[in-house]
Amino acid sequence: MKLYHCPNTRSFRPLWLLEELGVSYDIALINVFNHEGQQPSYLNINPHGTVPTLVDNTLILYEAGAICLYLADKYIKHNLAPVINSPNRGLYYQWMFFVPATMEPPLVNIFLHTQLLEASKRRQSVLDDSKERFVHIAVVLEQTLTNQPYILGERFSTADIMIASTLDWFPELITHFEALQHYHHKLTQRPAFKRALLQK
Ligand SMILES: N[C@@H](CCC(=O)N[C@@H](CS)C(=O)NCC(=O)O)C(=O)O
């Protein structure tokens, strides 16, 4: 199994998961910040030129969330996903999709309108709106995590990897959310998280 990875990107999610699972894998580094994803050899594997991509025998898979769902189920005995038809399985889908569909868009906008776009294209109104939307998201997460240690309840799961890795993009946005801050800190102290960080 090979993961195409670039540090400080969404490929950290499946990388962290692979470390939690403790299975063997290879890493191929693709520096998307230097446009290495646009090399024809990589575009043959992932036509979007983005990371992550997972290659598992004949399967080539992109989309961080899909890769994480696939890996957690492939190694379901490792208990990082609720088993199919269990009550928590529905909630697991909810949070796995919540990250790319609801949580990421305002954060991507904040990134674009503070750092990525050239100054003349940055819009304060988009920034303000995105920060407001993120506060709503953080309030919901804060309420959920005030009464339970992990997003699905008592047990750590792949959904926590999706959420905590995303909180890691802008930790300064959660300084007023006590439970969320505690959750983020606790998850980033996990040995597998730290091992994944060392894969550069
Ligand atoms: N929805 C995709 C997004 C993948 C993506 O855009 N990855 C970024 C890094 S976080 C990338 O490779 N960007 C390089 C580019 O767009 O050329 C996922 O979740 O995997």
Side-chain angles (χ1 to χ4, degrees):
M1 212 161 34
K2 185 190 277 188
L3 179 70
Y4 289 84
H5 167 61
C6 176
N8 301 316
T9 71
R10 293 175 179 88
S11 60
F12 184 76
R13 294 164 176 169
L15 178 61
W16 178 6
L17 175 56
L18 283 164
E19 284 295 334
E20 293 281 356
L21 290 167
V23 296
S24 71
Y25 62 92
D26 295 318
I27 283 196
L29 287 177
I30 297 285
N31 187 344
V32 290
F33 300 108
N34 284 348
H35 308 291
E36 278 178 25
Q38 297 308 315
Q39 291 169 355
S41 57
Y42 187 65
L43 289 172
N44 271 336
I45 296 168
N46 179 338
H48 305 289
T50 54
V51 288
T53 307
L54 181 81
V55 178
D56 187 15
N57 293 314
T58 55
L59 173 69
I60 300 175
L61 202 57
Y62 48 79
E63 287 299 326
I67 295 171
C68 287
L69 285 166
Y70 170 76
L71 287 172
D73 280 355
K74 178 173 169 130
Y75 300 101
I76 193 79
K77 294 215 164 94
H78 293 229
N79 283 327
L80 291 179
V83 291
I84 206 147
N85 289 335
S86 63
N88 259 358
R89 185 76 182 191
L91 281 177
Y92 172 61
Y93 289 138
Q94 171 187 293
W95 293 117
M96 291 297 288
F97 282 83
F98 168 83
V99 170
T102 302
M103 193 173 171
E104 277 187 12
L107 294 177
V108 168
N109 270 341
I110 293 171
F111 200 40
L112 281 169
H113 290 268
T114 55
Q115 298 173 43
L116 278 190
L117 290 175
E118 57 185 70
S120 66
K121 291 190 175 154
R122 295 180 195 172
R123 293 285 171 267
Q124 189 62 40
S125 56
V126 177
L127 191 55
D128 293 344
D129 174 65
S130 301
K131 284 187 175 168
E132 202 176 301
R133 278 200 289 150
F134 184 74
V135 168
H136 175 73
I137 288 164
V139 166
V140 172
L141 288 172
E142 176 80 4
Q143 282 165 354
T144 309
L145 291 163
T146 295
N147 301 316
Q148 59 191 51
Y150 299 107
I151 202 66
L152 293 182
E154 294 302 313
R155 180 179 280 179
F156 172 78
S157 74
T158 302
D160 293 300
I161 290 180
M162 292 292 285
I163 291 175
S165 60
T166 311
L167 293 174
D168 218 33
W169 292 4
F170 290 102
E172 65 272 23
L173 293 182
I174 56 167
T175 48
H176 299 302
F177 296 93
E178 203 181 323
L180 210 41
Q181 247 198 326
H182 174 70
Y183 169 80
H184 175 244
H185 178 74
K186 178 179 63 185
L187 291 188
T188 55
Q189 295 307 306
R190 292 179 71 87
F193 177 95
K194 292 183 178 174
R195 285 197 301 275
L197 268 190
L198 294 175
Q199 299 279 8
K200 295 201 170 168

